[in-house]
Amino acid sequence: MADSGVTDEPGSKDDGHRAKTEGKELTKEEKQRLRKEKKQQKKNKEKKDEKASQESEKKRNREEKPVSAAAPASQPPTQPSTQKAPSAVPAPAPVPVPVSETPALADKPAKSKAELKAERRARQEAERASKQASTSKPKAPPSELQPVVKRLPEHVQVDNPGVLKKLAKKLERQQIPLRSDYGYKVSLFSHLHQYSRKAPLTQQLSIPSTVIHPAIVRLGLQYSQGIVAGSNARSVALLHAFRQVIRDYTTPPNEELSRDLVNKLKPYISFLNQCRPLSASMGNAIKYIKKEISNIPCQCKEEEAKSQLLSSIKCYIDEKIILAAKAIAKSSIEKISNGDVILVYGCSSLVNHILCEAFEKNIKFRVIVVDSRPRLEGREALRRLVQRGISCTYVLISAVSYILPEVSKVFLGAHALLANGYVMSRVGTSQIALVAKAFNVPVLVCCETYKFCERVQTDSFVSNELDDPDDLIVTRKGKTQLEHWQDVPSLGLLNLVYDVTPPDFVDLVITDLGMIPCTSVPVVLRVKNVDQ
Amino acid sequence: MRLPLLSFQVAADQQGSLTADIMELQAVLMAAGGGSRMTDLTYNTPKPMLPVGNKPLMWYPLNLLERVGFEEVIVITTKEVQKMMVTDPKMKVDVKMKLDVVCIQEDGDMGTADALRHIQQKIKTDVLVVSCDLITDVALHEVVDLFRAHNATLAMLMSNAHEFTETVPGQKGKKKTAEQRDFVGVDQSGKRLLFMANEADLEDGLSIRKSIMRKHPRMHIKTGLVDAHLYCLKKAVVDFLADNKSISSIRGELVPYLVRKQFSKTTSSPKIKDDAENQNQKTNDGSTNHELLISSRDEPLLQLAQERSCWNDHRGDMSEAYHGGKLRCYVHIIDQGLCCRVNTLAAYIEANRLAPKLFEEPAVHPSAVISERCQMGSDSIIGALCQVADKTSIKRSTLGNSTTVKEKVKVTNSIIMHGVTIEEGCNIQGSVICSNAVIGRGADLKYCLVGNGQRIEPEAERTNEVIVGTDQLMEI
């Protein structure tokens, strides 16, 4: 639609027309923007009324140019905004230009103040448009004009050198070494980080780590080597490490604990992020801790404050993880009946817990464990279930459509539940959900509420995690075929970690708040936010 | 290999974020050893101060620690060494760390574990013990990462031994002194230490407990490894040593004990004596086990995290990660790179050849006076204030500080220590000349070791001899 408008001359009529068509797509945003603009204009009027008379002569000469320069400059930036982008690309600044132009141009022959306003605005738009045309990526403009559009997180902009430089500067300020990417990245995922396990971040740290608390270094190592893996385990380990940090913390003189401790935690969080991108559950736990720390009253003595923090962390773990698991197990057991054949995928601590509890209650069922390379986490799940005495079958994911006719229910764990009802989980989950749907087998996702995340995602490309590509290399019968994969220029190894399952494939989500459909996730999030 | 410069250190000092209470590791350098296997070299110069590539031997581990980021080291040494340390220019200038020198009696046979017990009050956290005779360029983070990631009780460094190719002076015939071999058993990943014993303790044969085989069915036993004597130990081990005064050597007793303890039953059940054990089993095994167990204050949380984590260090059996064992010993074995323990003459010669390659220092010290007509090979190192006259040829050799070399001297493949005078026309090949020796004119030395302060008469011809003073001969 917008493409046809490029070649047209910037007449006011075309602007209005284009504005109308674009206005239909973005009405709500447009309205909000207009409202904000009017407020802004009022403010500007009060400030610059004195200068108006001086500038009026100059502006009259340059009237035509900025207006016409703004319009064509606005056209190319509008193009990408209307193109289909997988996530919200913040390039809306030029979009309001045609809208704002129309009232300005229409009012031109009227009062001089309106004229000056329009010229000033046009000049601003021209500057902004020219700046945007020169920068490689349209950044989010100041928030007073565009409050609705969110900024893209840094970790999905790895192919943008500007963002990388900013990240490097930030890490340098916090004295955290920067972990360099490894190997050739498949082009679809070149916007994500890809690290090698053989190059740990500790290589660049001093050995008795002075900048980062030893517990955090240990945790980061355990994350990057996969010793602590799984959403719940990572969160618990993170909170444990934070407890140690808080215990060892002493407030420096002339500082407040509530502010200083949060600043101390920031580099640790960057460090952990460098070791392995934070999970949604970890993110929520960190938000909770930061809130707790900020809520400490300033009169509070240090010992008291620390013990309060420690107990609140313990409380969080008890409530959100341990008790939630119990509640979910209780609800899920109602769904498991005698003679069931339950399919599980990979190793989800929660699903394992549920199955073990159900077995304790003497329900007769059997389990089919589906596994996939390269992690082969299903083996660990298999071990835990068989150790309890549950009879299990083990298949690889390539055989899932062969065994699905036998299956009565599918229980899946989740890494995070997104605000639009999508389930983010280990790669392969969406495949299982899809095949289960095709066979009309009910799919139940078990997820605690602290993993609910406000992000919105509809595909697995935009935000994901790339694991070490060397994990895909396997040695069979003494031969390692992929050993020198880096030397083959046309070969790229892709080791994805997460994927996103649409809510159409999920029949029920079992949470500690009850059993809800996938689409009720935003409600839960809203309720949670109100509570807090 | 060029070693990276850590630029974070300066900034860290300015920030000063962590107080000394939360140090992660404390470094301890054991520099009290006597060098019992190279008495010819050490009867006058204590082993830690022997020059290797014109730097005192203990400078190398200190440099390693400094490069990696340590700011303080506890040095356990004798008074003699301490005196020499203070006066040595290299130590004063190059070592920027704070050295906390603890002196112990030289004659009392204090083992390394005894020394650790001695400084128990100073140890506040986990400790990294390094021996003064270690010259290596290993990336230390590999060892320490094992220690951190697996919450190990012990992490150590070992290296695949290389044969020494240089001829050692004073050795009659082909070598192969029956050095007691070490049998080291590692698991399939090559990281977990399962078995450690010295040949001397295995007179009746090598026996492996069934419990170990059940947990780790595949064990690789290696004999050609060199122990670098670099250990990361938990603080609980130092406390344990304080209570168990019978353990006197880290390498000889503590490490095998810890390795064995990994697999012993934690409950003191009466039937622990049924398997064949090594002769050195301490009688108070069962009662002291609980002291070694790592007790962090948040044990249940760690346990919970481990339970929820879908990781296991082994597969094929029904047990959880680490088989539920709390005591774990890890080893990092390096294949490439330099890792040399200078405790024999052969090792000393080898180290002198290899150590200079580690650093980018100029081969010729700027204060040395070398005449233009001297042929100097690229492998040679000339120390400070040397004087080398015309028509000399110095190939693959090291000249110590303040050494004088007169005309027409040929020095090949040799190590000349400090303050030596070599008169005209000498021919020195494959030899080690200790400090302050004087080689008379026209002497011809092949594969000799000239002791400290000795004088070789002119026109002497010695091959494959150890020339030391008469007072030294008494110490056999």
Side-chain angles (χ1 to χ4, degrees), chain A residues 12-274:
Chain A
S12 55
K13 241 171 84 176
D14 284 37
D15 279 347
H17 176 72
R18 213 179 311 121
K20 278 211 201 101
T21 50
E22 271 144 14
K24 277 195 210 140
E25 294 168 5
L26 302 157
T27 36
K28 225 194 271 182
E29 292 177 31
E30 289 286 283
K31 284 183 193 162
Q32 279 185 336
R33 243 176 267 126
L34 278 173
R35 257 182 264 132
K36 293 277 177 180
E37 276 181 296
K38 281 184 193 154
K39 280 193 208 156
Q40 178 76 350
Q41 288 160 29
K42 279 192 198 148
K43 263 194 248 162
N44 285 346
K45 214 203 275 183
E46 287 161 20
K47 273 190 231 164
K48 296 185 182 174
D49 257 331
E50 321 101 43
K51 294 191 202 162
S53 50
Q54 298 168 10
E55 292 176 353
S56 59
E57 265 102 29
K58 286 189 236 162
K59 289 316 145 254
R60 233 170 268 276
N61 303 338
R62 300 201 280 150
E63 220 179 38
E64 288 304 319
K65 266 195 269 175
V67 170
S68 54
S74 73
Q75 288 170 30
T78 18
Q79 261 185 303
S81 72
T82 52
Q83 274 172 9
K84 266 289 173 230
S87 65
V89 178
V95 176
V97 171
V99 180
S100 52
E101 297 277 292
T102 24
L105 296 168
D107 287 342
K108 222 166 77 159
K111 317 164 209 164
S112 60
K113 269 195 188 155
E115 223 177 319
L116 297 166
K117 245 196 306 181
E119 287 147 20
R120 235 178 288 124
R121 210 183 311 122
R123 225 182 328 121
Q124 284 173 15
E125 299 295 350
E127 285 168 12
R128 203 182 296 131
S130 58
K131 231 202 303 179
Q132 285 206 337
S134 57
T135 56
S136 52
K137 179 113 176 65
K139 294 206 182 97
S143 53
E144 57 241 34
L145 284 183
Q146 269 79 27
V148 189
V149 179
K150 290 207 177 111
R151 216 181 307 205
L152 264 186
E154 289 172 337
H155 69 269
V156 297
Q157 291 185 28
V158 173
D159 52 353
N160 180 0
V163 171
L164 280 182
K165 251 192 265 169
K166 260 200 342 195
L167 174 69
K169 257 196 246 158
K170 176 177 113 168
L171 289 179
E172 210 180 303
R173 221 174 354 136
Q174 296 175 331
Q175 298 176 325
I176 312 261
L178 176 70
R179 200 170 182 193
S180 47
D181 283 0
Y182 165 76
Y184 170 72
K185 280 191 264 191
V186 172
S187 58
L188 260 180
F189 292 94
S190 57
H191 62 284
L192 297 170
H193 282 293
Q194 182 173 280
Y195 299 127
S196 167
R197 200 157 292 149
K198 290 199 209 74
L201 203 48
T202 49
Q203 232 172 1
Q204 304 162 52
L205 280 181
S206 66
I207 291 255
S209 68
T210 42
V211 179
I212 304 173
H213 193 278
I216 303 281
V217 176
R218 178 172 300 156
L219 186 65
L221 255 181
Q222 289 178 330
Y223 281 163
S224 64
Q225 292 185 5
I227 295 176
V228 175
S231 196
N232 281 338
R234 290 212 275 165
S235 309
V236 171
L238 175 75
L239 292 168
H240 165 75
F242 275 172
R243 272 171 69 98
Q244 286 186 291
V245 170
I246 290 175
R247 248 190 236 118
D248 293 335
Y249 170 78
T250 46
T251 325
N254 304 330
E255 293 275 357
E256 264 188 43
L257 184 137
S258 54
R259 253 171 260 154
D260 187 61
L261 186 53
V262 177
N263 289 340
K264 280 272 156 59
L265 289 181
K266 284 204 185 114
Y268 299 163
I269 295 167
S270 302
F271 173 75
L272 292 175
N273 206 1
Q274 286 282 289

Side-chain angles (χ1 to χ4, degrees), chain A residues 171-173 175-178 198 200 202-214 217-218 221-222 225-230 232-233 236-237 239-240 243-244 247-250 264 268 313-314 317 321-322 325 347 349-350 353 375 377 379-380 382-384 386-387 426 448, chain B residues 4 6 8-19 21-26 65 67-71 126 128 139-142 144-151 234 296-302 304-322:
Chain A
L171 289 179
E172 210 180 303
R173 221 174 354 136
Q175 298 176 325
I176 312 261
L178 176 70
K198 290 199 209 74
T202 49
Q203 232 172 1
Q204 304 162 52
L205 280 181
S206 66
I207 291 255
S209 68
T210 42
V211 179
I212 304 173
H213 193 278
V217 176
R218 178 172 300 156
L221 255 181
Q222 289 178 330
Q225 292 185 5
I227 295 176
V228 175
N232 281 338
V236 171
L239 292 168
H240 165 75
R243 272 171 69 98
Q244 286 186 291
R247 248 190 236 118
D248 293 335
Y249 170 78
T250 46
K264 280 272 156 59
Y268 299 163
I313 291 183
K314 190 91 199 341
I317 296 178
I321 300 180
I322 301 179
C347 185
S349 55
L350 190 52
H353 178 81
R375 287 185 172 233
E377 285 169 341
R379 294 185 297 192
E380 184 60 21
L382 186 68
R383 177 190 76 78
R384 286 175 202 205
V386 172
Q387 197 181 31
R426 187 67 83 219
E448 298 99 332
Chain B
L6 283 171
F8 292 102
Q9 277 320 292
V10 178
D13 296 340
Q14 291 165 355
Q15 186 82 326
S17 29
L18 290 186
T19 64
D21 301 331
I22 7 173
M23 265 192 306
E24 186 187 0
L25 273 183
Q26 269 178 289
L65 292 172
R67 247 187 293 123
V68 159
F70 278 95
E71 286 170 4
D126 301 338
L128 174 70
L140 251 194
H141 75 89
E142 309 249 6
V144 182
D145 279 353
L146 281 175
F147 184 69
R148 288 165 174 154
H150 298 279
N151 215 0
K234 267 213 167 341
S296 92
R297 271 180 279 189
D298 270 328
E299 193 56 39
L301 269 190
L302 267 184
L304 180 66
Q306 205 176 313
E307 264 173 51
R308 297 300 179 105
S309 169
C310 52
W311 176 84
N312 207 324
D313 65 329
H314 66 279
R315 60 183 183 90
D317 68 355
M318 278 295 161
S319 37
E320 50 182 344
Y322 306 127

Side-chain angles (χ1 to χ4, degrees), chain A residues 399-433:
Chain A
V400 101
S401 56
Y402 287 101
I403 44 123
L404 255 173
E406 297 177 13
V407 173
S408 60
K409 292 187 181 70
V410 177
F411 271 78
L412 297 174
H415 171 258
L417 233 61
L418 306 174
N420 56 347
Y422 279 63
V423 177
M424 183 181 214
S425 187
R426 187 67 83 219
V427 66
T429 311
S430 65
Q431 199 178 338
I432 299 222

